[in-house]
Amino acid sequence: MNADLSQIRRTAAAVLAEIRTVHPVVLSLTNSVAQQITANMLLAVGAAPVMLKDRSEVENLMDAGCGGMLLNLGTLSAGQAVHMLDAAKAAHERGVPWVLDPVAVGSLEFRTALCRDLLKSYPSIIRGNASEIMALAGYAPSARGTDATVSSADAVQPAQELAAETRAVVLVTGEVDYVTDGTALHAIRSGHPLMTRVAGVGCGLGALCAACLACAPSAVEAAVAASCILGDAGLRAARRADTVGSFATALLDELDRPSTGSAGTKKPRPKARL
């Protein structure tokens, strides 16, 4: 296991401080359930969320300056699949780092086939729960969709294999989050069970990964930072909110705080773009 917890938090603090200085534009092609909380989470940390559906506009945004992109397969349709394939290809051609969130992959054939095609455009980070990562790595799929039926620790070896195969950094989320590039392995013990009871929080983590990709020195550090930033915010939020509704608000408040760990000063925030 690489990097101790203090080093992980220093990495997260430095990346968060950079996000609040640079305000990267993050394109999120995400599911309809998670759009609002995804945009709010990005705004809270200092990024500028953009949601677009037209192919030409996506390419225009990338040409103008896009820090990172999220493709989340949650509420997938045939039209969205084509749009995502085009966006992934455009990102790869332009060197825009992007995150694949393979929601319910393995249990549903259409999205599983789409994920295989999306991998040809080389995501920088693949973020999923244990069941999703194991299915994408070729292990027996779960029938529970977005809910992991195995622990994140059970998915460590599949994650390492998937990372080696795809050249992506893999982030497995669960009670303990694991980040691997196929060789190094980092464990992030943070977060709170209430995070699993607010729709879209996991999807929002994918967007935070995209924001961190725009500002971190490497995809490994981006994934580690995103996990730590959200997990620590969840822990702090749970200390002052013990019900789901109040926790959702408290989580955004904690993401909006000046730092994670030991980093710097709160900066003026960007407005939502689209």
Side-chain angles (χ1 to χ4, degrees):
M1 209 74 72
N2 300 83
D4 61 25
L5 188 57
S6 61
Q7 178 58 48
I8 285 172
R9 287 203 161 87
R10 284 193 294 271
T11 296
V15 173
L16 181 57
E18 184 67 9
I19 291 171
R20 288 178 169 165
T21 299
V22 175
H23 305 308
V25 172
V26 177
L27 174 59
S28 296
L29 306 184
T30 191
N31 68 77
S32 57
V33 175
Q35 281 189 348
Q36 182 171 343
I37 194 168
T38 296
N40 286 338
M41 287 170 66
L42 286 170
L43 286 168
V45 298
V50 177
M51 278 80 168
L52 297 175
K53 294 185 177 181
D54 181 80
R55 175 180 177 177
S56 64
E57 288 189 332
V58 167
E59 293 179 350
N60 289 344
L61 178 69
M62 290 182 183
D63 291 336
C66 178
M69 179 178 73
L70 165 68
L71 298 185
N72 176 294
L73 277 59
T75 51
L76 188 64
S77 68
Q80 289 171 331
V82 173
H83 182 36
M84 287 184 176
L85 286 168
D86 289 342
K89 182 179 179 182
H92 176 57
E93 290 173 347
R94 291 162 173 78
V96 175
W98 66 281
V99 178
L100 174 62
D101 192 334
V103 179
V105 69
S107 58
L108 299 170
E109 293 180 4
F110 175 54
R111 66 187 58 224
T112 301
L114 174 62
C115 275
R116 295 296 178 194
D117 287 337
L118 287 170
L119 289 175
K120 297 174 185 177
S121 292
Y122 300 104
S124 301
I125 296 174
I126 302 170
R127 188 226 67 101
N129 64 35
S131 297
E132 292 160 349
I133 295 303
M134 291 177 74
L136 199 56
Y139 288 69
S142 163
R144 285 287 301 276
T146 59
D147 295 329
T149 56
V150 291
S151 76
S152 54
D154 294 326
V156 166
Q157 181 175 333
Q160 291 175 313
E161 293 172 5
L162 181 61
E165 176 190 351
T166 62
R167 293 184 284 171
V169 169
V170 177
L171 167 56
V172 189
T173 54
E175 186 174 345
V176 178
D177 289 354
Y178 292 95
V179 174
T180 183
D181 61 0
T183 304
L185 179 65
H186 305 275
I188 300 96
R189 294 171 175 83
S190 193
H192 190 274
L194 277 171
M195 295 169 71
T196 66
R197 298 180 61 198
V198 177
V201 169
C203 300
L205 175 57
L208 292 181
C209 286
C212 290
L213 278 171
C215 296
S218 69
V220 167
E221 289 167 287
V224 165
S227 172
C228 189
I229 289 166
L230 182 59
D232 284 0
L235 279 174
R236 296 193 303 269
R239 294 190 187 112
R240 60 190 185 91
D242 58 1
T243 57
V244 172
S246 58
F247 176 81
T249 299
L251 180 63
L252 291 176
D253 289 343
E254 293 301 331
L255 286 171
D256 186 59
R257 288 188 183 277
S259 67
T260 289
S262 59
T265 305
K266 194 167 183 177
K267 304 280 186 179
R269 303 302 177 82
K271 297 178 180 179
R273 300 283 292 273
L274 291 171

